[in-house]
């Protein structure tokens, strides 16, 4: 009679079982005793079989086959248990390695010894509470510096930055520096700045977009001022406007002067890129059509014909003063929305005003069609429109850049006669050089029905002699009398003026939209 076996067993050797013909399960210990005393077991089994059933030769053969199968299954179970144990050990090692890597990314060392008694418990990650409208210590702990810099600089789009607190990136950088200073971690402080510095440099170098360059010009300049305001250096000018709480946020352990020196290089580079690559190429084609050629009277009397072709309509638009004013509004609006301070706005529009006056004056001195009485009235009107715009935006201090162009218009509108020599060479033309005045007079075209004769050589000679006397009296050397105004020269950015910030660092928050909560937290 054949033996039956139950194939269900648990992991390891504890589950091996033997089954007798009557269906009763034998304990594994009984099976082991059976192996140790084969003769006795065989005798007892034979007596039992003969009592229950008639013995036969077939039953003996079947019993021998069952013993062989039992031995074969026992060896298979031993191999399977050993393999299972090896896989469990390998899985445990990989789990430990994964925990350690996760812990390093979170910015702390995972202690294996501390958790040895609870090996199955994974490390916990607590989400930081929102700090919005809640005061804190203004310290920003950064778990993953490269990821933090990538999110804050590379991934921050201007359209998103518009919705955030103005100059938020600069405040977050300062909070990160303060945490490293508070922890007295010089290596962490320099490492954080190096990564931020590299990311800002790469972003500015790769981009010619006006929004991107304005965003990082504003924030780099803001960070430069914050590192002066909150530095621990004994400079009364930087800390005079601080409140008691702001003085408590100043650096305590390290001087950040080397960081400011490196940051100044980025400011200069960003300012040059913004002015020469994003503003000047768009501004330059608008200057001559808007200031020298735009005629407000003709614009009112002869409106644009709707039947003009698209190209003709575009050319007409380029000659409009409104187009220039619109571009100035665009630049000013972007600066304000990203949080630019008056010093930065002033330097940018001071350079723009210089470019506009220089280019317009250079064209005016060598074009006969622009040197007439009627054109002088038109040019002065257009210049006054730009000056009024500057005054409305609080930039009245930079109107002075247009004074040479206004004086050139007055020169064209004045009486050009020997009897008026004192006026021609006096205060009315004090901002114009000798060569510039003579060039304008040489290209002057008399108006029909208003002036009959052109300017003669004798008047030009007397004007030249009078201007030479004026230059001598003022102590101006001959080399200082220039004809062409440097119209494309970019004045270096002046980083000496200090701008104080009233922003309360203890109210700083991490916006959810830029996902900095995953790599940093405010303490």
């Amino acid at each position: 009679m054949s033996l039956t076996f139950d194939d269900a067993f648990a992991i390891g050797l504890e589950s091996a079982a033997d089954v007798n013909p009557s269906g009763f399960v034998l304990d594994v210990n009984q099976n082991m005793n059976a192996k140790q005393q084969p003769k006795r077991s065989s005798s007892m089994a034979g007596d039992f079989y003969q009592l229950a059933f008639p013995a036969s030769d077939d039953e003996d053969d079947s019993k021998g086959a069952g013993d062989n199968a039992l031995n074969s299954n026992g060896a298979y179970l031993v191999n399977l248990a050993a393999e299972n144990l090896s896989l469990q050990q390998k899985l445990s090692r990989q789990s430990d390695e994964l925990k350690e890597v996760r812990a390093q990314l979170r910015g702390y060392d995972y202690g294996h010894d501390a958790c040895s008694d609870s090996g199955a418990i994974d490390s916990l990650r607590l989400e930081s509470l929102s700090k919005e409208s809640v005061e804190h210590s203004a310290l920003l702990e950064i778990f993953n510096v490269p990821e933090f810099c990538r999110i804050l600089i590379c991934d921050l789009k201007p359209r998103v930055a518009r919705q955030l607190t103005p100059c938020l990136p600069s405040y977050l950088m300062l909070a990160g520096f303060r945490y490293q200073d508070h922890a007295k971690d010089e290596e962490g402080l320099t490492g954080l700045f190096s990564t931020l510095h590299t990311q800002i440099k790469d972003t500015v170098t790769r981009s010619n977009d006006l929004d991107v360059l304005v965003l990082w010009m504003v924030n780099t300049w803001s960070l430069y001022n914050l590192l002066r305001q909150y530095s621990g250096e004994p400079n009364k000018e930087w800390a005079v406007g601080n409140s008691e709480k702001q003085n408590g946020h100043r650096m305590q352990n390290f001087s950040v002067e080397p960081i400011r020196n490196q940051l100044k290089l980025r400011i200069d580079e960003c300012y040059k890129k913004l002015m020469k690559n994003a503003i000047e190429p768009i501004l330059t084609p608008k200057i001559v059509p808007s200031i020298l050629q735009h005629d407000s009277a003709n614009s009112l009397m002869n409106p644009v014909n709707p039947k003009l072709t698209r190209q003709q309509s575009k050319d007409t638009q380029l000659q409009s003063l409104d187009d220039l004013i619109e571009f100035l509004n665009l630049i000013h609006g972007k600066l304000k929305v990203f949080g630019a301070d008056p010093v930065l706005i002033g330097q940018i529009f001071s350079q723009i005003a210089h470019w506009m006056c220089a280019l317009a004056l250079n064209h005016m001195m060598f074009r006969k069609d622009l040197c007439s009485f009627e054109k002088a009235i038109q040019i002065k009107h257009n210049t006054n429109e730009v000056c009024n715009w500057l005054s409305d935006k609080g930039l009245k201090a930079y109107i002075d850049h247009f004074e040479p162009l206004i004086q050139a218009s007055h020169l064209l509108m004045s009486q050009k006669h020997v009897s008026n020599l004192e006026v021609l060479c006096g205060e009315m033309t004090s901002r114009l050089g000798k060569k510039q005045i003579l060039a304008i007079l040489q290209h002057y075209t008399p108006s029909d029905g208003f002036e009959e004769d052109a300017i003669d050589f004798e008047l030009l000679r007397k004007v030249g002699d009078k201007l030479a006397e004026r230059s001598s009296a003022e102590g101006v050397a001959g080399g200082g009398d220039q004809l062409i105004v440097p119209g494309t020269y970019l004045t270096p950015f002046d980083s000496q003026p200090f701008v104080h910030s009233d922003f309360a660092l203890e109210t700083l928050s991490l916006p959810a939209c830029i996902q900095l909560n995953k790599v940093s937290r405010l303490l």
Side-chain angles (χ1 to χ4, degrees):
M1 180 178 182
S2 61
L3 296 174
T4 61
F5 294 92
D6 189 357
D7 293 334
F9 54 88
I11 297 175
L13 299 176
E14 298 86 9
S15 304
D18 187 13
V19 181
N20 63 16
S22 302
F24 295 97
V25 180
L26 299 179
D27 186 84
V28 66
N29 294 327
Q30 296 177 355
N31 189 26
M32 295 296 295
N33 293 334
K35 292 181 179 180
Q36 293 175 1
Q37 300 176 0
K39 294 182 180 181
R40 181 182 176 183
S41 299
S42 176
S43 175
M44 292 177 61
D47 295 339
F48 174 78
Y49 290 140
Q50 289 186 8
L51 289 173
F53 304 99
S56 64
D57 295 339
D58 294 338
E59 291 177 356
D60 293 339
D61 295 339
S62 179
K63 183 182 68 173
D67 291 340
N68 294 334
L70 179 61
N71 293 335
S72 177
N73 289 336
Y76 173 75
L77 290 176
V78 171
N79 294 335
L80 185 62
E83 183 179 356
N84 184 46
L85 182 61
S86 176
L87 290 175
Q88 285 183 342
Q89 293 175 349
K90 183 177 180 181
L91 182 61
S92 178
R93 288 195 304 270
Q94 291 178 346
S95 178
D96 291 340
E97 293 174 359
L98 182 59
K99 292 176 185 177
E100 184 177 357
V101 172
R102 285 176 176 174
Q104 291 175 356
L105 288 177
R106 292 172 184 148
Y108 58 88
D109 294 327
Y110 182 79
H112 293 284
D113 295 337
C115 299
S116 58
D117 295 335
S118 54
I121 301 177
D122 196 1
S123 59
L124 299 178
R125 173 67 190 279
L126 301 179
E127 295 294 336
S128 58
L129 297 175
S130 175
K131 298 294 182 181
E132 192 169 352
S133 301
V134 177
E135 292 190 1
H136 46 78
S137 60
L139 299 174
L140 182 65
E141 181 185 8
I142 303 173
F143 309 138
N144 190 335
V145 171
E147 188 69 9
F148 172 83
C149 298
R150 183 188 65 81
I151 295 174
L152 185 63
I153 299 175
C154 298
D155 294 350
L156 182 60
K157 304 302 180 183
R159 56 182 173 81
V160 177
R162 290 171 180 268
Q163 311 301 323
L164 304 177
T165 302
C167 299
L168 177 66
S170 64
Y171 296 131
L172 292 176
M173 294 179 198
L174 176 66
F177 294 155
R178 289 191 63 251
Y179 174 82
Q180 301 296 343
D181 176 79
H182 182 76
K184 299 182 180 180
D185 187 356
E186 181 181 359
E187 184 177 352
L189 178 58
T190 55
L192 174 59
F193 172 73
S194 298
T195 308
L196 289 169
H197 178 268
T198 302
Q199 293 283 11
I200 294 174
K201 182 179 180 180
D202 292 344
T203 300
V204 171
T205 302
R206 291 195 304 265
S207 179
N208 288 322
D209 182 71
L210 180 61
D211 285 338
V212 174
L213 296 176
V214 168
L215 171 62
W216 289 111
M217 180 66 212
V218 170
N219 280 278
T220 308
W221 171 242
S222 174
L223 180 60
Y224 183 79
N225 283 292
L226 290 172
L227 290 176
R228 291 192 284 185
Q229 178 178 345
Y230 290 97
S231 71
E233 302 167 37
N235 190 308
K236 295 182 179 180
E237 179 190 359
W238 297 345
V240 67
N242 285 353
S243 64
E244 183 179 352
K245 185 166 289 187
Q246 285 179 322
N247 282 329
H249 292 328
R250 296 176 67 185
M251 299 289 183
Q252 302 294 327
N253 299 297
F254 300 112
S255 171
V256 292
E257 183 179 3
I259 292 179
R260 289 200 308 269
N261 294 336
Q262 290 293 320
L263 200 60
K264 186 178 182 301
L265 299 178
R266 300 285 70 78
I267 293 173
D268 294 338
E269 179 185 358
C270 190
Y271 178 72
K272 181 179 179 181
K273 192 77 181 290
L274 171 64
M275 300 303 296
K276 300 295 288 186
N277 290 48
I279 293 180
E280 187 184 24
I282 303 176
L283 175 68
T284 300
K286 300 178 185 294
I287 295 175
V288 172
S290 300
I291 296 181
L292 300 182
Q293 297 175 346
H294 178 76
D295 189 349
S296 300
N298 286 338
S299 299
L300 295 174
M301 298 298 295
N302 302 314
V304 178
N305 188 346
K307 295 184 179 180
L308 290 176
T309 63
R310 179 178 299 179
Q311 184 61 35
Q312 289 173 327
S313 178
K314 183 179 180 181
D315 294 341
T316 302
Q317 182 183 9
L318 288 176
Q319 296 177 4
S320 173
L321 179 63
D322 295 336
D323 189 42
L324 175 63
I325 298 298
E326 182 181 352
F327 182 62
L328 297 179
N329 276 321
L330 176 68
I331 299 173
H332 187 267
K334 291 183 184 297
L335 289 169
K336 294 295 287 185
V337 77
F338 288 127
D341 55 70
V343 172
L344 176 58
I345 295 176
Q347 292 200 47
I348 289 176
F349 279 98
S350 175
Q351 183 64 60
I352 290 176
H354 170 75
W355 279 343
M356 292 170 65
C357 179
L359 187 59
L361 186 60
N362 289 339
H363 278 263
M364 184 179 180
M365 289 188 296
F366 298 100
R367 290 179 56 175
K368 282 184 171 293
D369 60 321
L370 297 177
C371 292
S372 64
F373 182 86
E374 294 85 353
K375 275 294 181 181
I377 297 176
Q378 176 183 318
I379 292 171
K380 184 180 179 181
H381 172 267
N382 296 337
T383 305
N384 285 336
E385 288 294 315
V386 178
C387 293
N388 290 337
W389 181 89
L390 290 172
S391 181
D392 293 340
K393 297 298 182 180
L395 302 170
K396 192 174 182 179
Y398 309 106
I399 293 177
D400 186 65
H401 286 287
F402 290 96
E403 191 61 25
L405 188 59
I406 294 175
Q407 290 189 2
S409 302
H410 291 165
L411 178 62
L412 292 173
M413 291 186 290
S414 64
Q415 185 181 5
K416 299 154 192 71
H417 193 268
V418 177
S419 61
N420 199 34
L421 195 60
E422 291 293 334
V423 177
L424 294 175
C425 304
E427 188 66 25
M428 185 184 71
T429 58
S430 60
R431 298 289 294 274
L432 296 173
K434 173 185 175 181
K435 294 180 180 178
Q436 294 171 342
I437 295 173
L438 292 176
I440 293 173
L441 293 176
Q442 286 174 352
H443 291 86
Y444 179 74
T445 304
S447 302
D448 296 338
F450 183 72
E451 295 173 315
E452 297 180 357
D453 300 328
I455 298 177
D456 57 5
F457 176 77
E458 184 65 19
L459 176 61
L460 292 176
R461 186 184 64 80
K462 291 182 178 181
V463 169
D465 293 341
K466 190 68 175 178
L467 291 173
E469 295 177 5
R470 187 182 76 175
S471 298
S472 300
E474 295 175 353
V476 178
D481 184 20
Q482 60 181 2
L483 175 62
I484 302 297
V485 183
T488 60
Y489 174 72
L490 178 64
T491 304
F493 187 82
D494 184 10
S495 58
Q496 283 297 117
F498 169 69
V499 181
H500 180 270
S501 173
D502 294 327
F503 183 81
L505 294 179
E506 61 274 8
T507 62
L508 193 62
S509 62
L510 296 176
C513 60
I514 55 178
Q515 299 181 347
L516 285 175
N517 292 323
K518 298 180 179 179
V519 294
S520 61
R521 65 173 178 175
L522 286 165
L523 302 178

